Structures are given as C-alpha cells and as structure tokens.
Amino acid sequence: MSSRGEILALLRENARYTVEDIARQVGTDAETVEETIADLEADGVLRGYRAVVDWDQVDRERVRAAVELNV
C-alpha cells in the first residue's frame, strides 16, 4: 500500500492521530505527512473529519419526530 493509502487508512481508523503519530506508523517524516494530507484535502479525497457519538452514553433526552407531508 502506498504511503498515501496508509495515511488514509490511519485517518479512517482514528482521525485524531497526530501528524507525528502517522509519520511514525508510516515510516516517514511529519512534513511529508502534512503535505500528503494537504494534497488529499485539496484533491477532495479527504472531505472532512467527524466525531462518532454513542448517543446511548450521553446523559440527555432525545426527541425523534417523523413528519409526513402530502402535496
């Protein structure tokens, strides 16, 4: 797998890895990782980062609504 592919796989595994963490795991330097990530973002390959929330662990009430609209 190319370092580009390895970086993508690591970010998919954990988007909070630092550039240094990724560089160490891929076997390259942090500057190369930063450049690769910037290229992936510019090319539209990396389109964002998000948190995955386990709402069952959150201590708050949720409301769900189903709306039907007939036109």
Side-chain angles (χ1 to χ4, degrees):
M1 183 184 307
S2 70
S3 64
R4 187 172 157 125
E6 290 174 302
I7 291 170
L8 285 171
L10 288 168
L11 287 172
R12 185 166 185 231
E13 175 185 309
N14 183 353
R16 294 188 65 173
Y17 279 139
T18 66
V19 172
E20 291 78 14
D21 290 336
I22 295 170
R24 190 171 34 260
Q25 293 182 59
V26 173
T28 190
D29 59 277
E31 185 177 320
T32 300
V33 172
E34 285 178 339
E35 290 172 1
T36 302
I37 290 173
D39 290 344
L40 289 165
E41 290 172 344
D43 293 344
V45 175
L46 277 176
R47 297 181 359 193
Y49 304 85
R50 75 177 106 181
V52 177
V53 179
D54 182 353
W55 290 108
D56 293 331
Q57 299 296 322
V58 177
D59 191 27
R60 72 173 206 181
E61 211 173 297
R62 292 186 310 230
V63 175
R64 291 189 183 181
V67 178
E68 183 176 332
L69 177 65
N70 293 317
V71 179

